[in-house]
């Protein structure tokens, strides 16, 4: 019971911090998008795909290895070995972070001239290289804090990081906003690097405070290093492939849209519209899912170490029931109120059609996130990576061959295929590992009916204020409250058992 309470408390802590971070972060992203325009957002999204690949190389699965090993060793009361694992993981992370920085500096001219169509100079790429060692070390410490149930420290670090990022980016944008895409992208990257510096300082402080509670041996432990490599190496290799393919996919999109008849500026604008404006709004509420998904890794690692298979199945069922219900609620908001959300967020209807179209994918996206967390917790991270790689290969083929024919519709089609394939393959793998039963009635039918019923009631209510924005907010809020109340009434016994 105590472990369950700790899990729930950590989840609430992470969810609350994620709510703040995602909320403030989304508002700031909207501010930036409206400030710099679709083309700049498109270019910046491509730069961020390079950033993400560099981070993948810099971390190389070390954070996951730290989380898994520390959770396992602490569950066995091997505290000294757990702390030794963190130390060794930090050494690996530092080496990888520095290596990633050096490689990025050498590749900067090629990236800016060829992959980014000379839209920016080398300076934004050099800016990325500055923060990579800090990010790699911070990722290890975050993995440690999650594994030992001290999520509030990660939450504090993330909140401060966001505040610093917003302040630094705002100041830098004020200086560079009229100096072109290159200066704007450099400002956005530097804002992130400055925030990572503050986050690193805070994380390393948290780690050393915890470390003082245990006296560690200074002896070299090859067994720990071998265990780290055994977990991290397969993840790293597949991560390199996955992240490399992901970056290739992102760079292919504007070029294949260009092949459909659009000029490069319009193609990059369409890409920026979907990737930089639509997707952040759609994924905003996934902070609820991401928080508990991250906690599922150490939770399932402990359950697996204790061979508590019945508990694993029970937790899986409850998490699925809650996640499906939540996913249907969010999908309903974007399906029924896409115009209202578009006008509230961007003050135009340009993204409304895409919010409505992609609302059907929210269920697949959110559930897949939970499944990935469980699979990583039961040491099936390699399988998750293989699925992601296959997903990317299929998507790249669609983008390369279909997008030049059907344009932006072909790109939308590729996103649908990607999300549905990833969910289906991940679910099949989970079902094979845990032999779970899928309760279609409670997971899908009931939430769907509740969603429709809540919408019809909302439409019949006399909501008609003079302030049009107040009308939009009240409609969405009414629909959400009705859904939650009806769901709670129907599933009272289930919720009571949580």
């Amino acid at each position: 019971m105590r472990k369950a309470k700790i899990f729930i408390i950590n989840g609430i802590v992470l969810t609350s911090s994620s709510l703040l971070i995602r909320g403030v972060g989304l508002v700031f992203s909207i501010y930036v998008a409206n400030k710099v325009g679709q083309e700049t957002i498109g270019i910046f999204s491509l730069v961020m795909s390079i950033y993400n690949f560099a981070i993948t190389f810099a971390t190389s699965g070390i954070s996951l290895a730290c989380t898994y090993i520390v959770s396992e060793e602490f569950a066995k009361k091997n505290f000294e070995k757990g702390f030794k694992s963190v130390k060794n993981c930090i050494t690996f992370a530092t080496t990888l972070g520095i290596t990633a920085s050096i490689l990025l500096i050498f590749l900067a001219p090629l990236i800016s001239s060829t992959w980014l169509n000379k839209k920016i100079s080398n300076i934004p790429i050099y800016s990325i290289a500055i923060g990579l060692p800090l990010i790699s070390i911070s990722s290890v410490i975050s993995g440690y804090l999650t594994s030992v149930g001290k999520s509030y420290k990660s939450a504090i670090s993330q909140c401060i990081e966001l505040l610093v990022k917003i302040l630094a980016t705002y100041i830098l944008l004020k200086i560079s906003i009229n100096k072109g895409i290159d200066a704007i992208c450099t400002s956005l990257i530097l804002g992130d690097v400055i925030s990572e510096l503050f986050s690193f300082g805070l994380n390393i402080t948290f780690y050393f405070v915890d470390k003082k509670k245990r006296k560690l041996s200074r002896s070299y432990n090859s067994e720990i290093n071998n265990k780290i490599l055994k977990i991290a190496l397969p993840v790293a290799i597949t991560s390199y492939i996955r992240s490399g393919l992901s970056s290739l996919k992102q760079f292919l999109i504007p070029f294949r849209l260009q092949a459909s008849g659009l000029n490069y500026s319009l193609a990059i604008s369409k890409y920026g519209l979907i990737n930089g404006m639509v997707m952040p709004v759609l994924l905003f509420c996934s902070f609820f899912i991401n928080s508990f998904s991250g906690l599922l890794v150490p939770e399932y690692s402990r359950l697996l170490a204790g061979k508590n298979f019945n508990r694993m199945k029970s937790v899986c069922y409850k998490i699925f029931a809650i996640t499906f219900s939540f996913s249907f609620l969010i999908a309903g908001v974007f399906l029924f109120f896409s115009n209202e959300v578009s006008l509230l967020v961007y003050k135009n209807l340009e993204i409304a059609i895409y919010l409505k179209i992609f609302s059907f994918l929210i269920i697949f996206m959110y559930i897949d996130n939970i499944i990935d967390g469980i699979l990583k917790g039961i040491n099936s991270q390699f399988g998750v990576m293989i699925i992601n790689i296959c997903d990317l290969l299929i998507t790249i083929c669609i983008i390369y061959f279909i997008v030049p024919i059907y344009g932006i519709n072909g790109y939308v089609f590729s996103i649908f295929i990607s999300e549905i394939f990833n969910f289906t393959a991940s679910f099949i793998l989970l079902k094979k590992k845990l032999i779970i039963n899928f309760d279609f009635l409670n997971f899908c039918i009931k939430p769907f009916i509740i969603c429709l019923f809540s919408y019809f009631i909302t439409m019949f209510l006399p909501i008609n204020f003079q302030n049009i924005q107040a009308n939009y907010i009240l409609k969405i809020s009414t629909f959400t409250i009705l859904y939650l109340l009806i769901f709670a009434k129907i599933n009272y016994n289930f919720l009571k058992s949580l």
Side-chain angles (χ1 to χ4, degrees), residues 319-375:
I319 290 291
F320 264 36
I322 294 172
T323 307
F324 267 103
S325 301
F326 177 75
S327 301
F328 271 95
L329 167 61
I330 303 304
V333 168
F334 288 114
L335 176 63
F336 299 132
F337 304 101
S338 58
N339 288 346
E340 288 85 347
V341 173
S342 183
L343 289 170
L344 282 170
V345 174
Y346 292 108
K347 295 182 174 57
N348 65 64
L349 288 171
E350 193 172 5
I351 72 167
I353 183 63
Y354 295 109
L355 290 177
K356 191 180 293 291
I357 291 171
F358 290 128
S359 65
F360 296 98
L361 286 181
I362 286 176
I363 298 164
F364 297 102
M365 291 177 179
Y366 287 13
I367 299 297
D368 185 53
N369 201 320
I370 288 294
I371 294 174
D372 283 359
I374 296 173
L375 288 172

Side-chain angles (χ1 to χ4, degrees), residues 252-273:
L252 270 179
I253 293 164
F255 283 109
R256 300 315 284 170
L257 284 173
Q258 193 177 8
S260 71
L262 304 177
N263 61 49
Y264 187 78
S265 292
L266 184 56
I268 205 72
S269 295
K270 289 291 184 182
Y271 167 76
L273 174 70

Side-chain angles (χ1 to χ4, degrees), residues 84-191:
K84 184 66 177 178
S85 301
V86 179
K87 181 180 179 180
N88 291 13
C89 284
I90 289 175
T91 302
F92 279 118
T94 304
T95 305
L96 288 165
I98 293 172
T99 304
S101 295
I102 294 170
L103 288 173
L104 199 58
I105 290 170
F106 277 111
L107 292 173
L110 175 66
I111 293 170
S112 60
S113 62
T114 305
W115 296 353
L116 293 171
N117 205 34
K118 297 181 180 179
K119 285 285 184 177
I120 61 170
S121 67
N122 300 340
I123 296 175
I125 313 300
Y126 293 151
S127 302
I128 293 173
I130 298 171
L132 291 177
L134 306 179
I135 293 171
S136 60
I137 297 171
S138 289
S139 71
V140 171
I141 298 173
S142 294
Y144 161 76
L145 292 173
T146 300
S147 67
V148 297
K150 296 186 178 179
S151 303
Y152 70 94
K153 292 187 176 181
S154 290
I156 292 170
S157 177
Q158 290 171 13
C159 289
I160 291 176
E161 179 184 337
L162 176 64
L163 292 175
V164 172
K165 178 180 178 178
I166 290 173
L167 181 61
T169 305
Y170 178 79
I171 293 171
L172 291 169
L173 273 181
K174 279 284 187 181
I175 299 170
S176 64
I177 194 66
N178 296 319
K179 296 181 180 179
I181 294 176
D182 186 63
I184 292 172
C185 285
T186 302
S187 297
L188 294 174
I189 294 294
L190 284 176

